[in-house]
Amino acid sequence: MNKTIRYKLTASTFSWEIGPGKTIQAWGYNEQVPGPVLRGQAGDTLEIEVTNRLSEPTSVHWHGLRLPAPMDGTEFAQQPIVPGETFTYRFVLPDAGTFWYHSHINEPHQMERGLYGSLVVTGSDEPILDDDKVFIIDDMKLDRHNAFIEPSWFIPRFIEHHDGRQGNTVLVNGKEVPTIVIPAGTTERWRFINASSARYILLSLGGRPFRILATDGGLLEHPETVTKLLITPGERYDIAGGPFEENDSFMIESLSYNRMTIQRSERTCLANVEVGTARISQARIPEQIRVIEPVVATDSPVTRNIRLAVGFNLKNGLSFLINGLKHGNDPPVTAGEIQVWELQNLSLMDHPFHLHGAFFQILSINGDPPAYRAWKDTVNLPPRSSVRIAWIPENNPGTWMYHCHILEHHESGMMANFEVLPSGTATNERALSISAQRTHHH
Ligand code: C2O
Ligand code: CU
């Protein structure tokens, strides 16, 4: 039975304790960091009334949701929610999976302070696990009085602009190095969300092997056993945590991953795990957890080239570009028409590419097929790489966008928007006039 689930989110500023005696002036939803975990079942309608009690405009983006364009929360989709105002988002939850919501205005500032939360959607045919936990990871750049640092000198500003803001304080569910308790012998679903501005997480459970169950667009076809897992800003991975031995204890860590930044990457402890007394497990994870049909044949012709580049000159400093433009416009796509996009990273650093409002499949990474098939909305582009993706635009006409999910890069222009036209309008006048305007424009 599909139902309508109502939530209220109030964005405001408040004090938030990230650890014993460490309090920050957070910006967040319902006076908590992260905001509340929103839950629903695929097919349900979610109605979220968002009230802005901040001193500046805000909006909420539903990262990973295939929803109508006016509900996407970007500046192209809606008027900003000004202080004192309320806006109600309403949409059907089309897919099961781990999603998240976050501010989509002045993100480097608003998300850094805590305006994000998770959204868990369950499906009718999920593997059975002993518990379900969300771990939303973020980092904040704080001084010794726990105040947010905005670099004011040229060099620190340049580094933050180049690398994205890499914080010095890592939070899991709004707390510094929390302790997670799990009964021995049990297996839990651990949903990881990387909500940080720029930090890459190379997840490790103290070297223990673990199974990946799902990513951005829900379950994989088969659990994938690994010992480490890269989770870039915007990405989600659900893993099976356990079973562990009684009295075992270890750290959930991020190993160092060199994304070619000026600041060095270091191994970081995210949380401590303590394994308690054994309990009977109900967990059942079949070998086949889903079937994912390929969108297209791997050698299908490319329909669009997207080139990410970082420029530098003495006059303008750094520029973050897509197809040579900051905040560019792309030609429209038509609902239902297959897209094969070649994402080329011409720069010497990594960028996590995020597409709004749709899932894609990775066809190849530098010409090689990915390790497994999956539905994604965010994919890492290593330096000088070329990643081919395929997707089919939903019949959700309107203005959509894609961008680098390093918030400072996105803000500096590493994004583009494009129209999704209703199906059957590929050659209609609207499409022609939009592309004509754009050709003109350049
Ligand atoms: Cu998670 Cu446009 O963003
Ligand atoms: Cu980037």
Side-chain angles (χ1 to χ4, degrees):
M1 266 287 280
N2 295 342
K3 47 195 182 309
T4 298
I5 304 169
R6 292 185 177 81
Y7 285 104
K8 283 189 180 169
L9 294 178
T10 302
S12 66
T13 61
F14 51 93
S15 320
W16 176 255
E17 197 170 83
I18 57 171
K22 280 180 94 170
T23 299
I24 59 166
Q25 273 316 108
W27 297 26
Y29 301 107
N30 298 2
E31 304 208 345
Q32 60 188 88
V33 179
V37 181
L38 311 184
R39 291 179 193 275
Q41 274 184 300
D44 289 347
T45 297
L46 216 57
E47 204 175 280
I48 314 107
E49 199 181 287
V50 178
T51 301
N52 183 1
R53 301 239 172 276
L54 302 167
S55 54
E56 61 178 51
T58 193
S59 71
V60 181
H61 168 56
W62 308 92
H63 183 128
L65 270 85
R66 302 188 295 143
L67 36 66
M71 298 289 111
D72 193 40
T74 68
E75 65 271 39
F76 303 98
Q78 69 171 107
Q79 294 294 322
I81 311 170
V82 297
E85 205 185 44
T86 297
F87 181 88
T88 303
Y89 294 89
R90 189 166 203 282
F91 46 83
V92 173
L93 299 170
D95 307 288
T98 304
F99 305 99
W100 63 302
Y101 57 95
H102 61 76
S103 130
H104 215 282
I105 288 182
N106 192 12
E107 294 154 61
H109 193 89
Q110 297 193 2
M111 285 177 69
E112 167 75 354
R113 281 158 182 72
L115 283 163
Y116 60 82
S118 59
L119 165 56
V120 173
V121 185
T122 46
S124 50
D125 195 14
E126 301 265 1
I128 299 161
L129 286 111
D130 294 307
D131 197 9
D132 194 309
K133 291 183 174 137
V134 176
F135 298 117
I136 185 160
I137 302 168
D138 181 25
D139 64 0
M140 292 177 169
K141 202 181 225 178
L142 304 173
D143 67 14
R144 58 198 168 86
H145 307 294
N146 303 311
F148 288 93
I149 310 170
E150 300 279 355
S152 47
W153 298 97
F154 179 76
I155 302 237
R157 263 190 26 215
F158 180 87
I159 294 175
E160 185 166 300
H161 192 190
H162 179 273
D163 292 2
R165 180 187 290 126
Q166 177 121 343
N168 50 17
T169 307
V170 179
L171 305 180
V172 177
N173 297 337
K175 302 286 176 191
E176 251 186 311
V177 200
T179 297
I180 289 124
V181 182
I182 173 171
T186 64
T187 305
E188 300 181 345
R189 183 154 173 174
W190 290 353
R191 300 171 187 262
F192 286 90
I193 303 170
N194 186 347
S196 52
S197 310
R199 177 180 294 267
Y200 276 42
I201 291 156
L202 185 52
L203 187 76
S204 160
L205 306 186
R208 287 155 186 74
F210 57 89
R211 284 166 290 173
I212 310 171
L213 301 178
T215 182
D216 306 342
L219 294 168
L220 307 185
E221 293 192 287
H222 314 278
E224 293 284 330
T225 304
V226 294
T227 52
K228 55 186 180 207
L229 174 62
L230 184 65
I231 312 177
T232 69
E235 278 190 302
R236 286 89 66 211
Y237 279 98
D238 301 3
I239 67 164
F244 304 112
E245 306 273 305
E246 219 164 49
N247 299 321
D248 191 7
S249 69
F250 59 89
M251 285 190 290
I252 301 182
E253 291 175 294
S254 174
L255 307 178
S256 106
Y257 173 86
N258 184 2
R259 58 183 178 93
M260 303 302 280
T261 46
I262 301 167
Q263 271 188 299
R264 274 226 245 117
S265 153
E266 276 162 17
R267 184 172 186 153
T268 316
C269 176
L270 306 174
N272 288 311
V273 175
E274 276 168 20
V275 184
T277 327
R279 211 179 278 169
I280 309 261
S281 173
Q282 308 294 333
R284 248 192 39 246
I285 304 169
E287 243 326 285
Q288 174 102 43
I289 42 182
R290 189 191 193 179
V291 174
I292 300 177
E293 301 292 346
V295 177
V296 290
T298 4
D299 57 352
S300 297
V302 171
T303 60
R304 182 169 298 190
N305 284 288
I306 294 172
R307 297 194 176 87
L308 289 83
V310 180
F312 176 75
N313 63 47
L314 285 173
K315 189 157 151 271
N316 303 312
L318 285 167
S319 46
F320 290 86
L321 307 167
I322 290 188
N323 289 344
L325 297 172
K326 290 183 180 182
H327 305 280
N329 285 321
D330 248 17
V333 298
T334 301
E337 288 190 0
I338 289 171
Q339 303 296 311
V340 179
W341 288 8
E342 172 118 346
L343 313 173
Q344 270 178 279
N345 178 3
L346 305 179
S347 78
L348 298 172
M349 64 192 295
D350 292 62
H351 301 282
F353 174 93
H354 170 49
L355 174 65
H356 280 216
F359 297 124
F360 52 79
Q361 288 177 6
I362 299 170
L363 298 183
S364 63
I365 303 164
N366 292 327
D368 297 324
Y372 50 84
R373 195 178 299 139
W375 288 112
K376 299 285 293 165
D377 57 54
T378 307
V379 60
N380 188 45
L381 308 179
R384 299 273 179 204
S385 65
S386 164
V387 174
R388 217 175 260 195
I389 61 168
W391 64 289
I392 300 176
E394 302 300 321
N395 202 10
N396 286 327
T399 307
W400 294 94
M401 64 161 73
Y402 58 78
H403 58 84
C404 172
H405 218 286
I406 291 177
L407 303 180
E408 290 71 22
H409 297 176
H410 174 195
E411 188 185 49
S412 307
M414 197 171 254
M415 63 152 289
N417 50 64
F418 61 95
E419 297 286 317
V420 172
L421 305 172
S423 48
T425 52
T427 53
N428 76 2
E429 283 174 20
R430 186 154 168 250
L432 289 173
S433 79
I434 289 172
S435 38
Q437 279 169 26
R438 281 179 181 147
T439 330
H440 198 119
H441 187 79
H442 310 142

